[in-house]
Amino acid sequence: MKSLLVYLKNYKCESVFAPLFKMLEALFELIVPLVIASIIDIGIANKDLKYIIKRCLLLVLFAVIGLTVSITAQFFAAKAATGFSKELKHSLFAKIQTLSFTELDKIGTSSLITRLTADVNQIQNGVNIGLRLLLRSPFIVIGAMIMAYSVDRKSSVIFIVITILLSVVIFGIIAYTIPKYKSVQNNLDILTLKTRENLNGTRVIRAFTEEKNEVDDFKNKNDFLTGIQKSVGKISALMNPLTYVILNIGIVLVIYLGGIEVNVGNLSQGEVVALYNYMSQILGELLQLATLIISVTKIFPSASRVEYVFKIENSQKNNKSSIKKQSKQTDNEVDFVNVSFKYDGDSEDSLTNINFSAKKGEIIGIIGGTGSGKTSLVSLIPRFYNVTNGSVLLNGIDVNLYSKDELISKIGFVFQNSVLFKGSLRENLKWGNNNASDENMKNALVKAQIYNEMMQKNGLDTEIEQNGSNLSGGQKQRISIARALVKKPEILVFDDSFSALDLATESSLSNEIYNLKYKPTVFIVSQRANSVIKADKIIVLDDGIMVGIGKHNDLLKTCEVYKEIYESQFQKEVNYE
């Protein structure tokens, strides 16, 4: 939690004034019992109506001042807490953007969403409550004990004993509930993941009529979370009755012993009332402190979860120095040298001893069965993941030596799952090149075989819903391809990006890509032989091993895996002689 308090640095004044004004309010509350005691002992005892009225007006003045300083404290606390939350969210979001795919896979999207929303909101509430009440309640409790001691030393012993007993109850319950609240937040991650999957997969769920099963599964997870929260709530609920019992016993003792002292003349009636009021103040403030501490303890699990994200070290170090001076003269755009790769946590390699070179302007096809490592291979080029062994070279230089910006600027990547953002078509295409002209974007749409369809709508101003929900799968793929083409990178990677296209559209699109005027190096990942048949080189993968490399006709003769893929799709006998 301490490391997060740095986000209060721009709100130092508010963080100081909020508790100060609250303690000022508390100071007036501590004076009130003495004023009431004087009304009883002097005003009522002497039947001095004028004195009583003056003291009552003084109480009204204290109330007005107390209300004013309380509102002021609320304002400063709210300003500091919301500002703290804003800066924490910005910083946390920025940190998440710097994480590599390895870290993102490890933590999980649903968990990051929960940490960025529910956890940060929990911390914000804790900061708000803490600034307002964390010092106020102890100040009143200690102040009431001091004031009680000044009224009657004997009765002050009762205050000390009661305070100790209450502290044992409060902190004992807190020690039990803190780890339970952490379990609540972890199970909230699971529930968030389930909710996210159901929202994203609504169409699939309905297509397979799995609504009832998903509702039941959600109910089971929700009931489990509810059960944990109830178990914590039951223990927390003991706090109020236990503290009330202890404090009411204290009040009874104060009144009983005070009555005895009044009879023998050691105390006045007003002083007994003052002692009672101080005991009541302690009761109220300790109950408030107990509730406050429970609320604050909820933020510690949330704070530790947020701190964990900040403490994660990116497995991909960003080389900030430019490597332009280190450039080497080579005809190869990309080289894989003895590359092996294993996902974090996996026991076996996803890729084993991959060796090949791609010359500038070459078209490289990558084909293989499901799970053969095609996506893993091309993900190493922009360094989405680090190689386990070997090295990936770009223009003869290890990709690890490039800065993140330099590396990504050279590569246009079209992923398997087309992701579009809510906004206009123009805004989505400018993700590829923020300075692209309308003419360049239209040319990219033409090459991607989506121009006519978009022009029939609203052209570049066509509105795209969240995640492209108002577009078909094929339209989303082609817009994603156009977005990469707008960038005009040195290397284009199409990771199974034609899967939603019909054969005619795919053929036209492939021809455009094969005949790009500026001749980028292109990697085409596909399970269709038709997509890579014209490639300059075809890399055949099988269970992470490169079992063949060459042109189409050569592979039909020399690579059994490629031959099987081709025959299974074209379903005809071919004479390879």
Side-chain angles (χ1 to χ4, degrees), residues 115-318:
R115 293 170 203 239
L116 191 57
T117 53
D119 285 329
V120 173
N121 290 339
Q122 190 78 263
I123 299 170
Q124 177 187 337
N125 292 335
V127 170
N128 192 351
I129 295 171
L131 289 176
R132 290 188 293 111
L133 303 174
L134 198 58
L135 292 179
R136 180 186 186 278
S137 294
F139 181 80
I140 287 185
V141 170
I142 295 171
M145 291 175 64
I146 294 172
M147 298 298 285
Y149 180 81
S150 68
V151 173
D152 182 38
R153 295 183 180 182
K154 293 181 181 179
S155 299
S156 64
V157 176
I158 299 173
F159 284 72
I160 295 172
V161 172
I162 294 298
T163 302
I164 293 173
L165 290 175
L166 287 170
S167 299
V168 171
V169 171
I170 291 170
F171 289 104
I173 291 174
I174 288 169
Y176 174 84
T177 54
I178 285 179
K180 292 290 184 181
Y181 282 123
K182 187 172 184 179
S183 178
V184 167
Q185 291 301 116
N186 289 336
N187 279 277
L188 184 60
D189 278 350
I190 297 173
L191 195 63
T192 303
L193 173 61
K194 187 65 184 176
T195 305
R196 185 171 179 271
E197 285 181 339
N198 273 266
L199 291 174
N200 290 339
T202 299
R203 295 181 180 179
V204 177
I205 292 169
R206 291 182 179 178
F208 287 91
T209 62
E210 288 291 315
E211 293 94 335
K212 186 178 183 303
N213 290 337
E214 290 301 308
V215 168
D216 291 341
D217 191 22
F218 178 87
K219 184 177 182 301
N220 291 336
K221 288 180 170 60
N222 192 53
D223 288 345
F224 183 73
L225 176 61
T226 302
I228 297 175
Q229 289 177 316
K230 281 183 177 179
S231 67
V232 180
K234 286 176 182 177
I235 300 299
S236 299
L238 291 175
M239 189 171 291
N240 277 9
L242 287 176
T243 50
Y244 265 110
V245 169
I246 294 170
L247 282 165
N248 282 322
I249 290 173
I251 289 173
V252 170
L253 290 174
V254 167
I255 294 174
Y256 174 74
L257 295 177
I260 295 174
E261 293 294 313
V262 169
N263 287 334
V264 299
N266 292 335
L267 283 176
S268 67
Q269 291 176 341
E271 288 172 332
V272 173
V273 172
L275 289 172
Y276 170 80
N277 283 335
Y278 284 128
M279 182 62 79
S280 297
Q281 282 184 350
I282 290 176
L283 167 64
E285 291 304 322
L286 281 176
L287 286 174
Q288 191 174 60
L289 180 62
T291 305
L292 168 65
I293 292 174
I294 288 177
S295 299
V296 171
T297 55
K298 289 181 181 179
I299 78 172
F300 288 113
S302 295
S304 65
R305 285 158 50 83
V306 172
E307 282 181 313
Y308 175 77
V309 178
F310 283 115
K311 289 178 181 178
I312 291 176
E313 292 188 8
N314 196 327
S315 59
Q316 296 182 347
K317 301 299 181 183
N318 186 19

Side-chain angles (χ1 to χ4, degrees), residues 20 39 42 61 80 84 102 120 145 161 173-174 192 223 230 292 303 322 356 366 406 475 477 482 534 544 547 553 574:
L20 279 180
I39 292 174
I42 299 175
L61 178 62
F84 164 85
T102 301
V120 173
M145 291 175 64
V161 172
I173 291 174
I174 288 169
T192 303
D223 288 345
K230 281 183 177 179
L292 168 65
S322 176
F356 72 88
I366 303 173
E406 281 181 310
Q475 288 174 326
Q477 279 193 340
K534 297 178 183 178
V547 294
N553 289 331
V574 182

Side-chain angles (χ1 to χ4, degrees), residues 370-384:
T370 302
S372 59
K374 302 185 298 296
T375 296
S376 299
L377 188 148
V378 292
S379 295
L380 299 177
I381 300 172
R383 203 183 164 212
F384 292 149

Side-chain angles (χ1 to χ4, degrees), residues 290-519:
T291 305
L292 168 65
I293 292 174
I294 288 177
S295 299
V296 171
T297 55
K298 289 181 181 179
I299 78 172
F300 288 113
S302 295
S304 65
R305 285 158 50 83
V306 172
E307 282 181 313
Y308 175 77
V309 178
F310 283 115
K311 289 178 181 178
I312 291 176
E313 292 188 8
N314 196 327
S315 59
Q316 296 182 347
K317 301 299 181 183
N318 186 19
N319 182 18
K320 296 182 180 180
S321 62
S322 176
I323 62 166
K324 291 181 180 179
K325 294 181 180 180
Q326 304 177 32
S327 298
K328 299 179 180 180
Q329 294 297 324
T330 175
D331 291 332
N332 293 341
E333 187 83 50
V334 178
D335 293 283
F336 274 60
V337 183
N338 300 322
V339 170
S340 294
F341 169 68
K342 178 170 62 178
Y343 286 101
D344 188 42
D346 284 0
S347 58
E348 297 181 357
D349 287 344
S350 297
L351 295 170
T352 304
N353 198 33
I354 305 295
N355 287 277
F356 72 88
S357 296
K359 293 183 178 180
K360 295 177 180 179
E362 275 193 327
I363 310 293
I364 308 297
I366 303 173
I367 195 169
T370 302
S372 59
K374 302 185 298 296
T375 296
S376 299
L377 188 148
V378 292
S379 295
L380 299 177
I381 300 172
R383 203 183 164 212
F384 292 149
Y385 297 94
N386 284 334
V387 298
T388 307
N389 292 301
S391 56
V392 178
L393 307 179
L394 186 61
N395 294 323
I397 301 172
D398 196 308
V399 292
N400 292 315
L401 298 178
Y402 283 88
S403 70
K404 179 182 176 182
D405 292 339
E406 281 181 310
L407 184 61
I408 297 301
S409 67
K410 296 175 179 292
I411 302 169
F413 206 105
V414 185
F415 293 90
Q416 283 179 313
N417 298 319
S418 303
V419 177
L420 301 176
F421 300 90
K422 182 174 175 59
S424 68
L425 175 60
R426 178 184 285 102
E427 290 170 341
N428 274 272
L429 291 178
K430 283 198 171 186
W431 277 72
N433 180 0
N434 195 45
N435 298 317
S437 65
D438 285 2
E439 191 64 30
N440 288 338
M441 287 186 276
K442 288 178 181 179
N443 287 336
L445 292 172
V446 170
K447 290 181 173 64
Q449 310 299 305
I450 190 70
Y451 177 80
N452 291 334
E453 293 175 49
M454 292 297 103
M455 291 305 115
Q456 288 173 5
K457 294 184 177 182
N458 201 19
L460 293 173
D461 295 318
T462 299
E463 191 66 20
I464 294 176
E465 298 298 328
Q466 182 181 0
N467 204 29
S469 60
N470 58 333
L471 302 173
S472 69
Q475 288 174 326
K476 287 194 288 186
Q477 279 193 340
R478 283 175 285 165
I479 291 174
S480 297
I481 292 168
R483 181 171 59 192
L485 294 175
V486 165
K487 188 176 181 179
K488 292 186 177 180
E490 296 176 16
I491 300 170
L492 272 169
V493 180
F494 299 98
D495 184 8
D496 206 10
S497 308
F498 310 148
S499 57
L501 307 182
D502 60 80
L503 293 177
T505 303
E506 181 185 352
S507 177
S508 300
L509 178 55
S510 295
N511 286 334
E512 291 287 353
I513 292 171
Y514 275 68
N515 294 293
L516 288 172
K517 291 182 179 179
Y518 74 100
K519 297 299 179 183

